[in-house]
Amino acid sequence: MKNRTTNVFILIAVVLLAVLPLLLVNGDFGGADGAAEEMITEIQPSYEPWFSPLVEPPAETESMLFALQAAIGAGFIGFAFGWFKGKASKSKSQ
Amino acid sequence: MFAAKSTRFLLLVLGFAIYFTVNEPQTAYAMHIMEGFLPLGWAIFWWAMFIPFFILGLRALIKITKETPELKIMLGLAGAFTFVLSALKIPSVTGSSSHPTGTGLGAVMFGPLPMSVLGSIVLLFQALLLAHGGLTTLGANAFSMAVAGPIIGYTVYKWMMRASGRQKLSIFAAAALANLSTYVVTSVQLSLAFPAESGGFLASLAKFGGIFAVTQVPLAISEGLLTILIWNWLQSYNSDELSILQRKMKGA
């Protein structure tokens, strides 16, 4: 199979893997770390966390920072591929 | 060939659809152990386990950039890939969300050691700015995501390359298993710190591990697929960097 066809299939599969649970599973899709705390208090009710995060951003800021994290990474990936592509077309034209 | 692949793909989708509908929704938790949620002794223990790998990782990074400075951009790419992937909280079959790790790609390209540095930078960012994970638990989280995951991924890659010689399949398996093993190690860490009153360590392990084994499977598959996607893109430009890297990957 051609690379491009494979890539399209891969993207569809990844999107389906994320979307199908949303449509078919009846859950609240919480950010889950909270449930870890519940599980720990269930196993050991006396446990008290002895350190708390230095900064705890409000939910909106947190999602902004997550977006920023993804943007920085994706930006660099885009840069790298642009660079590869530029080099490849340059060596082809010579 | 093409028809066979599409049929297989459709079967896979159908299988997952059934898997999703049959599964009971339950809560699980994301990979990182929250700030303050490891007793002091265990926090120190995992820091101590992690630091030697971090130092080895730094040395490996310096060696790579010295010997093959052309590969700096590939190192950056591996780091950027974990940065993106660990920011993506993806809904999973158990009705909760978790995220991929993205460490498999770098482990396959450069071996497991450089990832101990690249992965822990991501964790530090999340611990400091996002209150996701934590400083006291950074040792444990880095050990699972930036040390154990990449080591397993790299071992799987090497072993599968020797057994089958199919590079893409090996990369897929390496990335997926690097992801899964990260969560397995996290549940071991939590169970060691919080053994159940009856049944002890193993009972806790079944509790922590049983839940996210299921949550993590589709995410591990996504991670494997995304890693293949990046790899396909890299190949379509067939740059000098890739051929240097390929030689390194075969020689090492």
Side-chain angles (χ1 to χ4, degrees):
Chain A
M1 214 180 336
K2 271 179 99 180
N3 253 353
R4 180 166 297 178
T5 332
T6 325
N7 288 349
V8 172
F9 270 121
I10 286 176
L11 281 175
I12 294 172
V14 170
V15 170
L16 282 180
L17 277 173
V19 171
L20 284 180
L22 275 182
L23 297 178
L24 300 175
V25 180
N26 206 355
D28 54 0
F29 296 97
D33 305 39
E37 307 180 9
E38 277 167 37
M39 177 77 81
I40 288 170
T41 32
E42 190 189 309
I43 291 177
Q44 209 178 93
S46 60
Y47 187 77
E48 287 281 327
W50 54 280
F51 200 88
S52 48
L54 302 174
V55 205
E56 213 157 346
E60 293 298 311
T61 317
E62 191 182 311
S63 62
M64 182 275 277
L65 286 167
F66 267 110
L68 185 69
Q69 186 188 332
I72 293 171
F76 187 85
I77 291 176
F79 165 79
F81 278 106
W83 194 70
F84 290 141
K85 188 171 183 178
K87 269 183 63 173
S89 63
K90 206 171 151 196
S91 65
K92 217 180 271 173
S93 67
Q94 273 170 356
Chain B
M1 166 87 182
F2 187 77
K5 279 219 171 160
S6 334
T7 328
R8 226 184 302 161
F9 179 74
L10 280 175
L11 275 178
L12 198 72
V13 171
L14 193 73
F16 267 109
I18 294 167
Y19 175 61
F20 291 146
T21 32
V22 169
N23 249 305
E24 287 274 301
Q26 49 186 335
T27 37
Y29 48 91
M31 155 176 54
H32 307 312
I33 303 175
M34 296 295 288
E35 185 73 284
F37 268 88
L38 272 186
L40 183 61
W42 282 109
I44 294 172
F45 173 79
W46 290 112
W47 265 105
M49 292 289 285
F50 164 62
I51 284 169
F53 286 100
F54 186 78
I55 293 167
L56 287 176
L58 273 181
R59 283 176 51 184
L61 273 181
I62 292 168
K63 196 171 155 225
I64 291 168
T65 48
K66 242 186 209 156
E67 282 175 1
T68 41
E70 310 89 298
L71 289 185
K72 270 183 204 162
I73 189 144
M74 288 290 195
L75 273 174
L77 195 68
F81 190 65
T82 41
F83 229 70
V84 178
L85 256 63
S86 54
L88 303 178
K89 292 188 185 172
I90 301 175
S92 183
V93 287
T94 47
S96 60
S97 309
S98 184
H99 56 84
T101 61
T103 53
L105 180 72
V108 165
M109 295 204 288
F110 294 104
L113 286 176
M115 289 321 288
S116 64
V117 180
L118 299 179
S120 47
I121 292 172
V122 179
L123 285 169
L124 187 68
F125 178 90
Q126 295 195 328
L128 281 180
L129 296 178
L130 293 167
H132 189 64
L135 290 178
T136 57
T137 52
L138 185 66
N141 288 330
F143 188 84
S144 62
M145 176 174 138
V147 176
I151 288 179
I152 303 271
Y154 181 74
T155 317
V156 167
Y157 173 75
K158 283 280 147 191
W159 181 79
M160 276 193 66
M161 276 304 275
R162 213 171 302 143
S164 72
R166 296 176 61 183
Q167 192 172 32
K168 274 186 198 168
L169 191 70
S170 314
I171 292 176
F172 172 82
L177 288 171
N179 178 315
L180 266 185
S181 55
T182 298
Y183 289 82
V184 171
V185 172
T186 305
S187 23
V188 169
Q189 290 169 332
L190 281 171
S191 321
L192 282 171
F194 299 101
E197 222 147 82
S198 63
F201 168 73
L202 285 177
S204 282
L205 187 63
K207 228 177 213 173
F208 285 117
I211 294 171
F212 50 170
V214 189
T215 312
Q216 215 50 37
V217 168
L219 285 187
I221 295 172
S222 293
E223 171 153 7
L225 289 174
L226 287 171
T227 310
I228 294 292
L229 191 70
I230 284 274
W231 190 255
N232 280 344
W233 282 343
L234 275 177
Q235 276 188 326
S236 57
Y237 298 122
N238 203 14
S239 59
D240 306 335
E241 286 78 13
L242 189 68
S243 36
I244 296 172
L245 191 69
Q246 288 269 28
R247 245 173 290 146
K248 231 178 130 70
M249 280 163 71
K250 283 188 182 121

